[in-house]
Amino acid sequence: MKVLKGGLLATVAAGALVAALTSSVSAQEAVNPDQGVAQRTAEGYEPVGATVGSFRLLPKLEVVEEFNDNIFKEENDETDDMITKVQPTLNLRSDWNNHALNLGAGADFGFYADSNDDDYEDYNAKVDGRFDASQALTFNGLGSFEHLHEDRGGDDVDADAADPVEYDRLKAEFGGRFKPNRISLGATGRVTDLDYDDNAELDGGTTNNDDRDRQVLEGELRAGYEIQTGYEAFVKGVLNDRDYDSDVDDNGFNRDSDGYNIQTGIAIDLDQLIRADLGVGWMEQDYTDPSLRDADGYSADATVRWNLTELTTVRGTFARAINETTTDDASAIVATSYGLGVDHEFLRNLVATADANYQNSDYEGISREDDLMSFRLGLDYKLNRNFFAGVSYKFEDRDSNVTDQSYDNNIFAIKLGAQF
């Protein structure tokens, strides 16, 4: 079965590549430079959808065949498998001159060729919108529900888990922005609720995941000043409260905490060339339980999109944040990450991507430290406005100073899709 699936993967990938390279569509035709290469869709290749009143209904289906040579992220005795992923989505988008309202639903069903216990069914629904009170004042809101899973081998999944950990995530967000002149003021409130299911263990027992259930409240204020056209200096502050449902977890820790993150920086918007948001500051997270170490340090959030040419986009990211963990005796993970990516348009319907990412995870309260590196290459081809295909390869390597926590894996994938 694996040999047949592997052969199908290679055959379809080769066919898609040959078809793309023999396409008569030239990449030198006019493009919209006010977008990154991977975000824009050339004329004649965009989905039309169906008109529903003043909305546009856009259905889409992707089927991904993936080979992963280390599905459990093991340091030794790796297990490989073929995974078939079926990913339908349905979006309803408003077609209005003012205001906006979008609704969406989707799913991701995964089927393992050998490890059937790792099959999963993820699904989601969301709604977001924008209300234009005036040219200077806008409000926006978002609500979503997601049923997700964590694969066996994940950081917060017990080593003796017999199947993936399933959980639900609810999100709600509301905010507004006022920019009457060079000065801008913004405020946003967010709430996230996480609810984890218990999972079976290999020895027949059950892992209690209720002590991971929590609500996260965040409030953000942002003030900016437009120095000149395309350049805005800003300062922003975020307060958070992380409240766990259980008074103490299975190890006797109260993981409730509150914290803040304050940053200053600059936002750059040079329409046809660069869009960037660069911020740096200080963050702290204080834990209710005195036996858990408080976390603090400099914070950073940076995203850059540079249209090097009309056919090439360079992307960069840098972030430093305090993340949650339920690892024994650790209070948090201070994560520092870097990313660099390039998108290049060979033809209007053939785009290649390359990404390199690095993350250092420093566990507060214990001596564990992980370095995670990943590289990805991808090729996306649009046959026409309704059908598309793609191939990708990803390599991931984690180097940990804790025994049995290092691993590397290779993931090959091909996708076929339809949109209308």
Side-chain angles (χ1 to χ4, degrees), residues 158-392:
D158 285 349
D160 61 352
D163 48 32
V165 174
E166 298 182 11
Y167 66 100
D168 295 330
R169 180 167 63 193
L170 276 167
K171 281 185 177 181
E173 178 178 311
F174 180 77
R177 184 171 186 262
F178 181 57
K179 190 178 187 302
N181 43 48
R182 290 182 177 270
I183 297 174
S184 66
L185 298 172
T188 304
R190 307 182 189 93
V191 57
T192 303
D193 182 89
L194 293 160
D195 184 7
Y196 290 82
D197 293 343
D198 296 343
N199 65 286
E201 299 173 353
L202 294 173
D203 61 5
T206 300
T207 298
N208 172 38
N209 289 311
D210 290 337
D211 59 356
R212 299 180 63 190
D213 297 347
R214 60 187 182 271
Q215 294 81 42
V216 179
L217 299 176
E218 291 183 312
E220 176 179 326
L221 294 175
R222 186 183 188 278
Y225 178 76
E226 188 177 359
I227 305 169
Q228 64 181 58
T229 302
Y231 295 88
E232 182 187 63
F234 69 84
V235 59
K236 68 177 181 179
V238 181
L239 295 175
N240 73 72
D241 180 78
R242 302 173 181 178
D243 183 22
Y244 282 75
D245 290 359
S246 299
D247 292 335
V248 294
D249 64 13
D250 290 345
N251 296 310
F253 294 111
N254 182 342
R255 292 193 169 273
D256 292 350
S257 67
D258 56 73
Y260 69 88
N261 184 355
I262 186 167
Q263 292 184 351
T264 185
I266 187 167
I268 303 172
D269 187 356
L270 306 180
D271 287 344
Q272 299 184 5
L273 183 62
I274 294 176
R275 288 191 176 179
D277 200 279
L278 314 172
V280 64
W282 187 260
M283 60 185 177
E284 291 191 6
Q285 199 70 25
D286 298 324
Y287 292 85
T288 300
D289 197 319
S291 59
L292 292 177
R293 180 188 296 178
D294 295 338
D296 59 40
Y298 78 90
S299 67
D301 285 298
T303 58
V304 178
R305 193 208 68 204
W306 175 27
N307 285 339
L308 185 62
T309 71
E310 286 189 349
L311 304 178
T312 304
T313 298
V314 178
R315 298 171 282 104
T317 60
F318 173 57
R320 196 165 192 267
I322 299 173
N323 299 330
E324 293 293 283
T325 183
T326 54
T327 301
D328 292 352
D329 299 322
S331 59
I333 298 174
V334 177
T336 306
S337 59
Y338 310 82
L340 181 65
V342 179
D343 306 319
H344 181 73
E345 183 180 294
F346 288 106
L347 305 170
R348 286 200 306 150
N349 59 337
L350 180 65
V351 175
T353 61
D355 288 276
N357 293 280
Y358 166 81
Q359 177 172 304
N360 172 266
S361 297
D362 187 5
Y363 287 71
E364 292 294 304
I366 60 176
S367 60
R368 178 175 175 177
E369 188 170 350
D370 297 347
D371 291 309
L372 179 66
M373 293 185 296
S374 66
F375 304 92
R376 184 186 181 277
L377 298 173
L379 192 65
D380 290 300
Y381 171 66
K382 290 182 172 66
L383 179 64
N384 50 44
R385 68 171 73 246
N386 297 127
F387 299 99
F388 58 91
V391 292
S392 66

Side-chain angles (χ1 to χ4, degrees), residues 2 5-6 9 65-67 80-84 111-113:
K2 287 187 180 180
K5 288 189 175 180
L9 183 67
E65 192 68 28
E66 179 180 289
F67 172 77
D80 61 73
D81 210 339
M82 296 292 300
I83 309 145
T84 301
F111 306 97
Y112 286 70

